[in-house]
Amino acid sequence: MEANFKLPVDRTIDYHSNNKPITSNIHDLWDVLTRQPDEKGGTLILLPYPYIIPGGRFREIYYWDSYFTMLGLSIDGKWEIIENMIKNFSYLLHNFGHIPNGNRTYYLSRSQPPFFCLMVELLAAKKGIHILLEYLPAIEKEYAYWMDGAANLSQKNNTYRRVVLLKNGAVLNRYWDDAHTPRPEAYKEDTHLAKEMPEPKAKELYRHIRAAAESGWDFSSRWFIDPLNMVTIETTHIIPVDLNCLLFFMEEMLGNIYAGLGQSQKAEVMMQQSVQRKEAIRQFCWNEEKGFYFDYQFILQQQKKVYSLAAMYPLFFSIAAKDDATKVANVIANQFIQQGGAVTTSNHSGQQWDAPNGWAPLQWITYKGLKNYQENALAKQLMQNWLALNESVYRNTGKLMEKYNVETYGQHAGGGEYPTQDGFGWTNGIFLAMKNDD
């Protein structure tokens, strides 16, 4: 069989750290993880500029990974590759109307958490406000993608693609995928899961699985009815707190850009949208009794019960009330902080986006969210625990990993549809960002 395929080369296999200091190793890895625009491959969507891949089995860009990778690139002064990556994402937005999960043709039916605005903000902080204007058309395209169909929703037809009209008239967002077939990149796993289902149920299952892939949290008990049974996945029935905080930030940024351009009517519409979203996030996702944010199951009209680090996004974007943030920080301290960092959820489900695993992007979201509300001691503890774990694994293996077991030193992270990968773009990025944060 292999004679019929040209298998791609994993260049990270041939790279060895040779006992370099961890920061020197990361600096050298940027070149190993860089791909040129003329790289070709059957399903690869060609991009006009060089870019960074995560590493390991991942040989293409991944959307939300790239923001956290950029944070480290900025510490190393790699602004040219940062700008090239942003240009690539802008190219995808203008050519496909959205940023796909990755630059593969089989990813075109979905996106990933919309971090493009934060990438642009990062570059604008370095190069000036004109960057915001340069990428305004791309930001507008991304917002239109996520809000497609919102104007036509009614209480009778209250969902369309990624938008949901709730009972109080608020429009919030969900993860979605335009296809309802097994994922080409995980065909065997998906068809096995649906093997005894009638076709309509199988299609629904595939859509939920794909929507969870759009979330980046593939997979987590966040999306399940039964935390231990993936067949109960219900992603498209859930309003995720993290996604809606990202859309809030996009609305706020657009409003500010329009105001700066003197386009007061557009600015007012966007600011109104952001205020309504902020209020709706609190109404539907905040639980006063538990002092924590939860995803909202809009069909049953009730909050999900899974404690997850998605609850840190309202703190990361500074939209939580001070008292609410204090309560969230207490839950984080009591249920999430472990000797190696913060667990992703409090559930041990066997899925990779659950305990005992910790992931670099969520360490950063949690760390910065805590600092935004002067929870500095807890933020420092999280940072020290995470960096120490990264350094310990690096000393033992010469590698930085995609994810880590934060509960037990020396134990590998588990779960998922593939072995833990090394490389690794966003881990490298967040290590440098945390190490150099004021």
Side-chain angles (χ1 to χ4, degrees):
M1 177 74 97
E2 288 186 8
N4 299 314
F5 294 92
K6 183 181 177 183
L7 297 176
V9 177
D10 176 6
R11 298 178 202 172
T12 58
I13 289 175
D14 298 324
Y15 174 82
H16 299 284
S17 61
N18 296 324
N19 298 316
K20 293 175 197 163
I22 190 170
T23 50
S24 301
N25 179 61
I26 292 171
H27 182 79
D28 291 346
L29 268 170
W30 296 135
D31 288 339
V32 177
L33 297 174
T34 298
R35 296 293 177 268
Q36 297 303 319
D38 59 354
E39 299 251 343
K40 291 184 175 63
T43 59
L44 198 67
I45 298 170
L46 297 185
L47 298 172
Y49 301 96
Y51 52 92
I52 302 277
I53 63 166
R57 74 195 283 267
F58 302 107
R59 301 177 179 100
E60 55 282 303
I61 60 157
Y62 282 82
Y63 177 9
W64 79 308
D65 292 55
S66 297
Y67 170 67
F68 301 99
T69 301
M70 287 177 191
L71 293 174
L73 289 166
S74 70
I75 299 298
D76 270 347
K78 303 276 188 181
W79 291 101
E80 183 179 1
I81 191 76
I82 290 172
E83 188 157 16
N84 282 335
M85 290 168 74
I86 292 172
K87 285 178 180 176
N88 282 334
F89 287 130
S90 180
Y91 168 85
L92 289 166
L93 280 162
H94 287 297
N95 281 274
F96 298 102
H98 70 288
I99 300 171
N101 188 148
N103 61 319
R104 294 280 178 189
T105 53
Y106 52 77
Y107 284 149
L108 282 170
S109 59
R110 64 175 179 266
S111 186
Q112 268 198 328
F115 273 88
F116 182 69
C117 275
L118 284 95
M119 299 177 193
V120 173
E121 181 190 52
L122 178 68
L123 186 62
K126 173 68 176 177
K127 298 194 72 172
I129 198 168
H130 71 277
I131 293 294
L132 300 179
L133 305 182
E134 184 178 337
Y135 291 102
L136 174 60
I139 297 169
E140 289 174 326
K141 278 189 177 292
E142 177 155 64
Y143 187 67
Y145 172 79
W146 283 95
M147 297 305 292
D148 181 36
N152 300 320
L153 295 176
S154 65
Q155 292 299 341
K156 189 175 179 182
N157 298 299
N158 69 324
T159 64
Y160 182 76
R161 297 182 81 202
R162 291 163 179 81
V163 288
V164 180
L165 176 67
L166 296 166
K167 294 294 184 186
N168 71 340
V171 175
L172 291 178
N173 287 76
R174 64 177 175 176
Y175 289 113
W176 181 256
D177 190 304
D178 291 328
H180 51 62
T181 54
R183 293 167 297 155
E185 73 277 17
Y187 187 88
K188 181 181 176 183
E189 293 87 346
D190 291 359
T191 52
H192 176 76
L193 202 61
K195 65 178 189 265
E196 293 177 7
M197 290 183 173
E199 187 180 5
K201 281 286 184 189
K203 285 182 175 179
E204 188 178 6
L205 176 74
Y206 296 143
R207 177 102 67 193
H208 288 314
I209 289 171
R210 285 169 165 269
E214 181 169 84
S215 79
W217 293 46
D218 45 345
F219 292 95
S220 170
S221 59
R222 268 183 88 183
W223 314 124
F224 302 170
I225 297 169
D226 174 356
L228 299 178
N229 188 355
M230 189 169 166
V231 172
T232 67
I233 192 168
E234 58 169 355
T235 320
T236 70
H237 299 164
I238 294 169
I239 301 288
V241 61
D242 46 359
L243 173 60
N244 283 282
C245 289
L246 284 159
L247 267 294
F248 165 84
F249 181 77
M250 202 184 301
E251 289 162 346
E252 197 173 52
M253 177 180 267
L254 283 168
N256 288 331
I257 295 172
Y258 292 143
L261 291 171
Q263 298 177 2
S264 56
Q265 192 170 357
K266 278 185 168 183
E268 189 177 335
V269 168
M270 274 302 148
M271 289 304 185
Q272 194 173 17
Q273 290 277 92
S274 68
V275 168
Q276 288 173 349
R277 190 182 297 271
K278 179 179 175 179
E279 291 172 353
I281 289 169
R282 192 175 197 281
Q283 179 178 347
F284 293 101
C285 298
W286 174 250
N287 188 307
E288 182 66 34
E289 182 185 348
K290 295 176 180 174
F292 209 64
Y293 291 94
F294 296 90
D295 298 323
Y296 184 73
Q297 214 281 22
F298 64 86
I299 292 176
L300 299 177
Q301 299 181 47
Q302 64 187 31
Q303 290 176 349
K304 298 283 286 182
K305 295 177 181 177
V306 177
Y307 285 79
S308 86
L309 289 182
M312 287 303 303
Y313 276 71
L315 281 68
F316 181 80
F317 288 110
S318 298
I319 64 176
K322 175 65 174 154
D323 288 349
D324 295 352
T326 301
K327 292 171 183 173
V328 170
N330 287 336
V331 176
I332 295 296
N334 292 327
Q335 293 194 36
F336 286 84
I337 300 294
Q338 304 291 330
Q339 62 175 337
V343 287
T344 308
T345 75
S346 57
N347 288 344
H348 288 77
S349 69
Q351 300 297 331
Q352 64 174 353
W353 288 84
D354 281 315
N357 293 347
W359 295 76
L362 299 180
Q363 309 304 310
W364 182 254
I365 296 289
T366 303
Y367 168 71
K368 295 299 279 188
L370 292 169
K371 287 191 74 176
N372 285 344
Y373 290 86
Q374 291 75 54
E375 298 285 347
N376 295 324
L378 188 58
K380 185 175 182 181
Q381 182 188 350
L382 169 62
M383 175 191 71
Q384 289 175 337
N385 291 8
W386 177 253
L387 294 180
L389 175 59
N390 283 203
E391 288 169 333
S392 172
V393 172
Y394 178 74
R395 277 194 306 273
N396 292 330
T397 66
K399 304 284 189 181
L400 287 108
M401 300 296 183
E402 176 194 21
K403 59 182 181 280
Y404 293 85
N405 182 329
V406 298
E407 290 184 351
T408 310
Y409 261 47
Q411 293 288 315
H412 288 298
E417 299 171 308
Y418 53 84
T420 297
Q421 304 296 302
D422 62 62
F424 196 87
W426 63 15
T427 306
N428 304 346
I430 296 310
F431 184 90
L432 291 182
M434 277 192 176
K435 196 84 171 170
N436 290 273
D437 194 53
D438 296 331

